[in-house]
Amino acid sequence: MADTLTASALTLKDIARQAGVSLATVDRVLHNRPGVRPDTVRRVREAIERNSFQPHVAAAELARGRARRFAFVMPSGPNPFMQQIQDYLGEMSAWLSARRLGVETVATDVFDPSVLAASLEGLSDDYDGIAVVALDHPGVRAAIDDLVDAGAKVVTLVSDVPSSRRHHYVGIDNIAAGRAAGALVGRLVGQQSGKVAIVAGSQGLRDHAERIFGFNQVMASEFPGLSVLPVLEGRDEDGRSEQVLARLLGRHADIVGLYNVGAGTQGVARALSDAGRDKQVVFVGHDVTALTRRLLLQGVMDAAISQNPGHEARAAVRVLLALARGEPILREQEKIRIDIVMRDNLP
Amino acid sequence: MADTLTASALTLKDIARQAGVSLATVDRVLHNRPGVRPDTVRRVREAIERNSFQPHVAAAELARGRARRFAFVMPSGPNPFMQQIQDYLGEMSAWLSARRLGVETVATDVFDPSVLAASLEGLSDDYDGIAVVALDHPGVRAAIDDLVDAGAKVVTLVSDVPSSRRHHYVGIDNIAAGRAAGALVGRLVGQQSGKVAIVAGSQGLRDHAERIFGFNQVMASEFPGLSVLPVLEGRDEDGRSEQVLARLLGRHADIVGLYNVGAGTQGVARALSDAGRDKQVVFVGHDVTALTRRLLLQGVMDAAISQNPGHEARAAVRVLLALARGEPILREQEKIRIDIVMRDNLP
DNA sequence: GGCGTTTTGAGGTACGCAACTCATTTTGAG
DNA sequence: CTCAAAATGAGTTGCGTACCTCAAAACGCC
């Protein structure tokens, strides 16, 4: 009837007694301090295993004395998505201070590898953990590895550097996101055949390139009736996005689908509306902002692929904290999902 | 450049000094203990406010001594979704025991109000918090209110009892979920007109009724070309669901959409396949399980409306813990989203 | 002003662990 | 067997809070 799940009340003292050693030795083993014979280490470890003992985090945290500090290295521009992440960090302030955690934001130009690498340098002196929106570049990778070597915990946020030795990546799989976008455009277009347009910020950006790759994959294999036009580059700016798309719409009367890979959504929507084709073209974009929310409600946009910025902010903090404490990470909890947002499940 | 967010290092002693009182008095105010003049209370509160002081949770938890215990009251049947919630609770065991939290599952017949009410009775003696998958019924409401009056923290899980005085609801808005399902069926069917079938467990279940309501709302207002057939009741059983749906498919050749509101998905899929119409009918159901995952990959199901069971399990625990500690709840974090899951964003 | 009551102060103990010191025991090499 | 090095034991202190006791002070009432 009632199935008990947990509640150990053991302490380090119990472990010491069971292993037949003193508290000091258990402490040495627990913190990988030198001066313990391998055989003794084994005995202690076994006692811990046998009882599936977990040190009381509250006691450990309290005894530690020193507060933990984390740095968030983020783009300095007015990117609304990044702004949302920072806003959600702000909402955590009570939670953070109740745990004596300090979180500081470092603004930098994440698109310039040397500037970014310079910003990262030396952060390990002041911080126990660093979350960074990283550009995938050898210089940045080296900077991240340096931080790791210096003992800091490093998490990449939103954009990954897989070749680095960062401890964790908090963000979505962009290829899968592109696939989801492709499937949505294809399915929502339905039986008709025609052309599909893609507007991206730049194909040089790793996340954009991956999304386009996934999108094309699905289009090619599953929607042979739809032909994808060459990618337009709008540099994530409204004006330029509107301009290039307007020209394309003028040249092709049979565009039935549109995928906006990055920002510049305002411009894309305007080009569609001005051409009077916002109701006929299936329009899928990214992220839930005040703007995309409005466009979804108006029916101009049909779906938005989204990653939850609040979740990313909190997951980054939790992962850094777990890493610093040596606790296991709840992978399932920290995984960022690809959300499909349509008018009726707007968060 | 660097924007600091938190890190108070104040202690109760500092607050006491600032308020010009002793530690004992601050303690009395903090825990609403009697014997403090209103004016003194105000002074202490002001000092706390002024410094935005937060008690150190680790110290508080440690000093408390007693471990906290939570009960999860859940259906005894083989419902896969509920099973997933329990599995995810199990995955938290290290996390729980590191915090000296005890979580126990109480299996009961949640569909019988008197049995459920009886199971709830007296739980407040043994547990600090209770999460319950509740049937919305006056007897259950009264039982919940009794628990609250006895000082326990109560959270409704998956299915709400809004009229009770439960402290929190962890679950989705089922009307919105039904609307999302309706929008998907309508959009994926596309231009064609035809009939749409609904299979539910029972219209007496609040969550099913709400989903159907939302579904019909969208169908009526936005997809006039589709006509919704009377709701079939499959009691969430495979056999019965298959049977009733097969009969309906036989009678109507022009069914283009299908909404499966509850469980019994296996039976629904079989009826569709046996009729050879699994590729023509747009099929939207609920929840991501091993089965629905397979059906999505095979293209039999087109989309699943899902609430993340892992998130629900963890959110329920976190909310109960925050309530018990008197900490604020991170609403944004604990809100359960309506996930639209298609083949390419399968988690 | 005296009385009883209410309010406040002072202090202690305990929680479980980290981090440290210093004395003692064990070990292995010569 | 001897001796230095390595391993271990025993113990202390402190983290910030909860919870408790007892005495002292302030208060309100007549």
Side-chain angles (χ1 to χ4, degrees):
Chain A
M1 190 72 163
D3 171 33
T4 294
L5 197 51
T6 57
S8 88
L10 294 179
T11 71
L12 282 183
K13 212 187 299 182
D14 302 310
I15 298 299
R17 184 155 11 90
Q18 278 209 29
V21 299
S22 74
L23 259 177
T25 301
V26 175
D27 184 70
R28 290 182 183 109
V29 172
L30 218 56
H31 299 91
N32 303 310
R33 281 189 257 274
V36 184
R37 231 175 310 153
D39 183 63
T40 310
V41 172
R42 193 182 45 70
R43 265 170 36 229
V44 174
R45 290 244 154 86
E46 274 175 14
I48 291 178
E49 279 300 311
R50 186 164 358 109
N51 300 283
S52 53
F53 169 80
Q54 296 276 135
H56 193 321
V57 292
E61 210 57 28
L62 187 58
R64 184 162 196 289
R66 200 164 53 79
R68 300 185 194 273
R69 302 180 65 201
F70 300 143
F72 274 64
V73 180
M74 307 192 58
S76 43
N79 184 321
F81 181 74
M82 298 300 169
Q83 189 53 54
Q84 288 185 61
I85 291 185
Q86 293 196 36
D87 291 345
Y88 284 115
L89 282 176
E91 283 187 12
M92 294 182 76
S93 70
W95 189 92
L96 291 169
S97 83
R99 287 159 184 76
R100 300 301 185 267
L101 299 177
V103 170
E104 296 173 29
T105 305
V106 178
T108 189
D109 182 357
V110 299
F111 294 109
D112 182 330
S114 60
V115 172
L116 175 54
S119 297
L120 292 176
E121 200 176 350
L123 283 183
S124 52
D125 296 339
D126 296 328
Y127 299 97
D128 305 286
I130 293 111
V132 53
V133 178
L135 187 70
D136 195 0
H137 179 278
V140 176
R141 168 165 52 88
I144 290 178
D145 287 349
D146 285 347
L147 291 176
V148 172
D149 287 334
K153 307 300 178 185
V154 179
V155 162
T156 48
L157 186 62
V158 181
S159 168
D160 194 17
V161 185
S163 60
S164 72
R165 299 211 309 281
R166 88 279 186 280
H167 298 90
H168 201 87
Y169 165 55
V170 174
I172 59 172
D173 174 348
N174 280 302
I175 295 182
R179 291 182 56 91
L184 272 171
V185 168
R187 294 297 313 258
L188 292 178
V189 162
Q191 317 288 7
Q192 338 165 40
S193 63
K195 299 193 178 117
V196 174
I198 300 180
V199 181
S202 154
Q203 296 191 71
L205 291 171
R206 184 191 180 94
D207 50 348
H208 287 201
E210 288 182 344
R211 290 175 183 177
I212 293 169
F213 178 78
F215 186 87
N216 283 328
Q217 225 178 32
V218 168
M219 285 316 236
S221 66
E222 293 182 46
F223 302 100
L226 299 176
S227 71
V228 179
L229 295 167
V231 175
L232 302 176
E233 300 206 346
R235 293 185 193 159
D236 281 356
E237 298 160 13
D238 290 328
R240 191 175 165 86
S241 298
E242 176 176 357
Q243 188 186 332
V244 293
L245 179 58
R247 196 174 333 135
L248 193 78
L249 287 169
R251 280 208 302 270
H252 301 275
D254 55 346
I255 289 179
V256 293
L258 168 62
Y259 177 34
N260 185 35
V261 182
T265 311
Q266 179 75 274
V268 169
R270 200 172 291 139
L272 267 185
S273 303
D274 288 353
R277 286 155 75 177
D278 50 352
K279 302 293 175 192
Q280 298 132 44
V281 174
V282 171
F283 173 18
V284 172
H286 276 268
D287 298 337
V288 176
T289 63
L291 172 65
T292 57
R293 171 183 293 274
R294 194 169 61 242
L295 293 174
L296 283 169
L297 289 172
Q298 290 170 348
V300 175
M301 271 184 82
D302 295 278
I305 307 296
S306 153
Q307 45 189 328
N308 186 330
H311 190 188
E312 300 207 339
R314 293 181 294 265
V317 172
R318 280 192 305 253
V319 168
L320 284 175
L321 184 55
L323 287 168
R325 285 178 174 170
E327 278 190 304
I329 293 171
L330 293 173
R331 301 214 152 261
E332 186 70 26
Q333 169 171 241
E334 312 309 355
K335 184 174 170 194
I336 309 298
R337 291 198 171 200
I338 297 168
D339 295 332
I340 295 177
V341 178
M342 298 174 71
R343 209 195 46 194
D344 291 289
N345 71 330
L346 266 173
Chain B
M1 191 71 164
D3 172 33
T4 295
L5 198 52
T6 57
S8 87
L10 294 179
T11 73
L12 282 182
K13 214 186 301 183
D14 302 310
I15 299 299
R17 184 156 13 90
Q18 278 208 29
V21 299
S22 75
L23 258 179
T25 300
V26 174
D27 183 70
R28 291 182 183 110
V29 172
L30 219 54
H31 299 92
N32 304 309
R33 281 190 256 274
V36 184
R37 231 174 311 155
D39 183 63
T40 312
V41 172
R42 193 181 45 71
R43 261 165 47 225
V44 173
R45 291 241 153 87
E46 275 175 11
I48 292 178
E49 279 300 312
R50 187 162 358 109
N51 302 283
S52 54
F53 169 80
Q54 294 277 133
H56 194 321
V57 294
E61 209 56 28
L62 185 58
R64 185 161 193 289
R66 199 164 55 80
R68 300 183 193 275
R69 301 180 64 201
F70 300 142
F72 275 64
V73 180
M74 305 190 61
S76 44
N79 184 321
F81 181 74
M82 298 299 168
Q83 189 54 54
Q84 287 186 62
I85 290 185
Q86 293 194 39
D87 291 346
Y88 283 115
L89 283 177
E91 283 188 11
M92 294 183 77
S93 70
W95 189 91
L96 291 170
S97 83
R99 288 159 183 75
R100 299 302 184 267
L101 299 177
V103 170
E104 296 173 27
T105 304
V106 178
T108 188
D109 182 357
V110 298
F111 294 108
D112 183 330
S114 59
V115 172
L116 175 54
S119 297
L120 291 177
E121 200 175 351
L123 282 184
S124 51
D125 296 339
D126 295 329
Y127 299 98
D128 305 287
I130 293 111
V132 54
V133 179
L135 188 70
D136 195 0
H137 179 277
V140 176
R141 170 166 50 90
I144 290 178
D145 287 348
D146 285 348
L147 291 176
V148 173
D149 287 333
K153 307 300 178 184
V154 179
V155 161
T156 47
L157 186 61
V158 180
S159 168
D160 195 16
V161 186
S163 60
S164 71
R165 299 211 309 282
R166 88 279 187 281
H167 299 89
H168 202 87
Y169 165 56
V170 174
I172 59 172
D173 174 347
N174 280 301
I175 296 182
R179 291 182 57 90
L184 272 171
V185 168
R187 294 298 311 260
L188 292 178
V189 162
Q191 317 288 7
Q192 336 166 41
S193 62
K195 298 190 179 124
V196 174
I198 300 181
V199 182
S202 155
Q203 297 191 71
L205 291 171
R206 185 190 179 94
D207 50 348
H208 287 202
E210 289 182 343
R211 289 174 184 177
I212 293 169
F213 177 78
F215 186 86
N216 283 328
Q217 224 179 33
V218 169
M219 285 316 230
S221 66
E222 293 181 45
F223 302 101
L226 300 177
S227 71
V228 180
L229 294 168
V231 175
L232 303 176
E233 300 206 346
R235 291 186 195 157
D236 279 358
E237 299 159 12
D238 290 330
R240 193 175 164 85
S241 297
E242 176 176 0
Q243 189 186 330
V244 294
L245 179 57
R247 195 173 335 134
L248 193 78
L249 287 170
R251 280 208 302 270
H252 301 274
D254 55 346
I255 290 179
V256 292
L258 168 63
Y259 177 35
N260 185 34
V261 182
T265 311
Q266 179 76 275
V268 169
R270 202 173 289 139
L272 265 185
S273 304
D274 288 353
R277 287 157 73 178
D278 50 351
K279 302 293 177 193
Q280 299 132 43
V281 175
V282 170
F283 174 18
V284 172
H286 275 268
D287 298 338
V288 176
T289 62
L291 173 65
T292 56
R293 173 184 292 275
R294 195 169 61 241
L295 293 174
L296 283 169
L297 289 171
Q298 291 170 347
V300 175
M301 271 183 80
D302 296 278
I305 307 296
S306 154
Q307 45 189 328
N308 186 329
H311 189 187
E312 299 207 341
R314 293 182 293 265
V317 172
R318 278 192 305 253
V319 168
L320 284 176
L321 184 55
L323 287 168
R325 286 177 173 170
E327 279 190 304
I329 294 171
L330 293 173
R331 303 214 150 260
E332 185 71 25
Q333 170 171 243
E334 312 309 355
K335 183 174 172 194
I336 309 297
R337 291 197 171 201
I338 298 168
D339 295 331
I340 295 177
V341 178
M342 299 174 71
R343 209 195 47 195
D344 290 289
N345 72 329
L346 266 173

